[in-house]
Amino acid sequence: MPDWDKAVIRTRRIRTRDFLLNARKPAEEGGQGLNMIVAANSAPWWPWTKPYTHKYAHPAGLGILNGEVICDTRPHKAVFVVYEDGRADIVSSVPESDYRSIRVAASGFAIILRDGEILEGGSYEKEPMPRIAYGLSEDRRYLYIVTVDGRQKGWSLGATGKETAALLKEAGAADAINMDGGGSATLCYWDEKTKTPVTVNRQTESGYQRPVGSNIGIYLK
């Protein structure tokens, strides 16, 4: 990394709303020309050291886009996967033999809901804090993305991993994965009327949005 000598460059940090905007930008203008309607931050990443202004990142765990491995730090703990045939799953690990059949893979901190049972998670899931988590219905037809504001007195102190799992279970998820929360947690959707991305959660009272090392988007064909 040009600004950090302890890891290889994998991604450039970008705000989730800008990730959505860039995806929607026409290809002739340097974008991807995708009709992206939802974007969310995903995998945790490093470096996370002072002064916290590194331009580049190394996402944790397994990251794959269209069969290309972006990062692969083992052991995998929790991975959200979408296969080329459209199947989606939340798994603890992915065998290397499956990599080429994966459209998208993004790692999280822990699986917090499995077959409808709320799980303990790890140390990252213990304290109330801002959260973002993905959930899948039992038949894998529905994806749920939940954000919880936190660390803001008089507004919201946040949620634990168990509380976040309970929200997803109530929404209809059977399995869920806790992604990179804290000040990174961001969920946006495209407002067709105003032609702008709308961020549904509040990271800070000032409205500041952190550039993150990994995002995931949903687009319509």
Side-chain angles (χ1 to χ4, degrees), residues 81-104:
V81 185
V82 180
Y83 295 92
E84 288 291 352
D85 62 6
R87 291 179 298 118
D89 208 352
I90 292 171
V91 297
S92 57
S93 185
V94 180
E96 193 169 345
S97 57
D98 286 356
Y99 286 5
R100 290 191 177 182
S101 66
I102 292 174
R103 184 180 302 168
V104 174

Side-chain angles (χ1 to χ4, degrees), residues 62-66 79-82 94 102-107 214 216:
L62 179 65
I64 296 177
L65 179 61
N66 296 328
V79 190
F80 171 71
V81 185
V82 180
V94 180
I102 292 174
R103 184 180 302 168
V104 174
S107 293
S214 179
I216 193 168

Side-chain angles (χ1 to χ4, degrees), residues 8-217:
V8 177
I9 292 175
R10 301 297 181 186
T11 62
R12 184 180 179 93
R13 289 177 58 186
I14 185 173
R15 294 188 301 173
T16 304
R17 70 181 309 277
D18 293 333
F19 168 79
L20 191 156
L21 283 170
N22 287 347
R24 293 187 62 87
K25 187 183 296 184
E28 57 270 23
E29 296 178 16
Q32 295 177 284
L34 300 174
N35 184 21
M36 188 172 287
I37 57 171
V38 173
N41 75 292
S42 57
W45 43 273
W46 71 82
W48 188 242
T49 56
K50 292 181 179 180
Y52 308 113
T53 55
H54 302 285
K55 294 181 180 179
Y56 303 96
H58 189 300
L62 179 65
I64 296 177
L65 179 61
N66 296 328
E68 180 182 352
V69 178
I70 307 301
C71 54
D72 188 5
T73 304
R74 295 172 180 268
H76 308 153
K77 295 181 181 179
V79 190
F80 171 71
V81 185
V82 180
Y83 295 92
E84 288 291 352
D85 62 6
R87 291 179 298 118
D89 208 352
I90 292 171
V91 297
S92 57
S93 185
V94 180
E96 193 169 345
S97 57
D98 286 356
Y99 286 5
R100 290 191 177 182
S101 66
I102 292 174
R103 184 180 302 168
V104 174
S107 293
F109 278 101
I111 295 174
I112 54 175
L113 183 67
R114 176 61 82 198
D115 297 326
E117 180 183 352
I118 296 173
L119 306 179
E120 284 285 341
S123 58
Y124 189 74
E125 283 69 43
K126 301 303 181 188
E127 300 297 325
M129 62 181 290
R131 299 282 177 185
I132 187 161
Y134 307 164
L136 288 171
S137 60
E138 185 176 5
D139 60 8
R140 298 308 195 245
R141 290 188 62 196
Y142 297 95
L143 168 67
Y144 305 87
I145 304 178
V146 167
T147 57
V148 180
D149 290 337
R151 297 174 181 161
Q152 301 175 67
K153 290 183 179 180
W155 180 260
S156 174
L157 297 180
T160 65
K162 281 187 171 183
E163 290 168 339
T164 306
L167 289 172
L168 282 159
K169 181 177 180 179
E170 184 177 353
D175 299 88
I177 179 173
N178 188 35
M179 305 304 283
D180 187 22
S184 298
T186 316
L187 177 60
C188 301
Y189 71 90
W190 179 253
D191 188 320
E192 187 60 33
K193 185 176 181 180
T194 62
K195 303 297 183 182
T196 57
V198 177
T199 303
V200 302
N201 62 304
R202 190 175 86 167
Q203 292 178 330
T204 64
E205 187 175 354
S206 68
Y208 170 80
Q209 295 185 26
R210 175 186 293 165
V212 298
S214 179
N215 290 288
I216 193 168

